[in-house]
């Protein structure tokens, strides 16, 4: 088997180049991390506003991607699967339009989808942990705990509907932003000190 010429043969060299790039731009990573953490804290303090912002953002994303999909589908109308592609693009435009026209109802729908996701993810993670408990020795319990936590989050979200729709998405996005920002800050500070 031959490797493409673009892939460097020495992984160590690639890692040192990446470390040098992170070290050279550690201030940018620090700034981005602080901004993300502050946005995450704001989302956690005012989760209903963050939920609304996420819903409107998703609405615009669906609408823009659907319109772009319509143009691309029309441009490539001779390709196989034209009607499926057209249907998919029209569905994205419709979903985006609905989310933008009725963002409060969209929050409820998105919360139900998030609750269903955590429920499915929890069951799958627990089954994965149980399936691999012999191979993963003592570490399989972390997967089991993760799956149980996913089920707990799903239960809290679904049991609290429709009230949980106000805070669930905003709080989850806020937590994600804080953790992502903290990891960038930690990486930037580590790169500065090395």
């Amino acid at each position: 088997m031959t490797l493409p010429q673009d892939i460097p043969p020495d992984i160590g060299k690639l890692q040192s180049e990446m470390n040098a790039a992170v070290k050279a731009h550690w201030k940018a990573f620090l700034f981005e991390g602080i901004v993300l953490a502050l946005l995450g804290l704001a989302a956690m303090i005012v989760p209903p506003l963050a939920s609304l912002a996420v819903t409107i953002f998703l609405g615009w994303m669906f609408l823009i991607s659907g319109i772009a999909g319509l143009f691309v589908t029309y441009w490539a109308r001779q390709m196989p699967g034209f009607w499926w592609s057209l249907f998919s693009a029209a569905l994205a435009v419709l979903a985006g339009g609905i989310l933008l026209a009725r963002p409060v109802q969209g929050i409820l729908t998105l919360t139900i989808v998030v609750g269903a996701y955590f429920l499915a993810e929890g069951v799958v993670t627990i089954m994965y942990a149980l399936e691999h408990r012999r191979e993963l020795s003592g570490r399989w319990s972390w997967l089991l705990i993760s799956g149980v936590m996913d089920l707990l989050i799903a239960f809290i979200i679904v049991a609290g509907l429709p009230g949980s729709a106000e805070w669930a998405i905003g709080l989850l996005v806020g937590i994600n932003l804080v953790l992502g920002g903290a990891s960038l800050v930690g990486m930037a500070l580590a790169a500065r000190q090395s």
Side-chain angles (χ1 to χ4, degrees), residues 111-141:
T111 304
I112 292 169
V113 169
V114 167
Y117 167 78
F118 275 106
L119 178 66
E121 180 69 18
V123 169
V124 168
T125 303
I126 289 170
M127 297 310 294
Y128 183 78
L130 294 175
E131 189 76 22
H132 291 283
R133 66 179 170 234
R134 274 180 262 141
E135 289 83 9
L136 296 175
S137 64
R139 294 179 296 231
W140 73 277
S141 61

Side-chain angles (χ1 to χ4, degrees), residues 70-157:
L70 287 174
F71 282 118
V72 170
T73 300
Y74 179 76
W75 178 66
R77 60 188 173 276
Q78 303 305 324
M79 298 295 287
F82 167 78
W83 292 107
W84 290 112
S85 183
L86 184 68
F87 178 71
S88 174
L91 194 60
V93 169
L94 180 67
I98 290 172
L99 285 175
L100 291 173
R102 300 186 177 268
V104 175
Q105 289 84 355
I107 292 171
L108 179 61
T109 303
L110 290 174
T111 304
I112 292 169
V113 169
V114 167
Y117 167 78
F118 275 106
L119 178 66
E121 180 69 18
V123 169
V124 168
T125 303
I126 289 170
M127 297 310 294
Y128 183 78
L130 294 175
E131 189 76 22
H132 291 283
R133 66 179 170 234
R134 274 180 262 141
E135 289 83 9
L136 296 175
S137 64
R139 294 179 296 231
W140 73 277
S141 61
W142 287 104
L143 283 172
L144 183 67
I145 291 169
S146 174
V148 169
M149 292 305 293
D150 286 343
L151 289 179
L152 180 63
I153 292 169
F155 175 76
I156 291 170
I157 291 172

Side-chain angles (χ1 to χ4, degrees), residues 33-43 177-178:
I34 291 170
V35 169
L36 286 177
L38 290 175
L39 287 172
L41 286 174
L177 288 173
V178 167

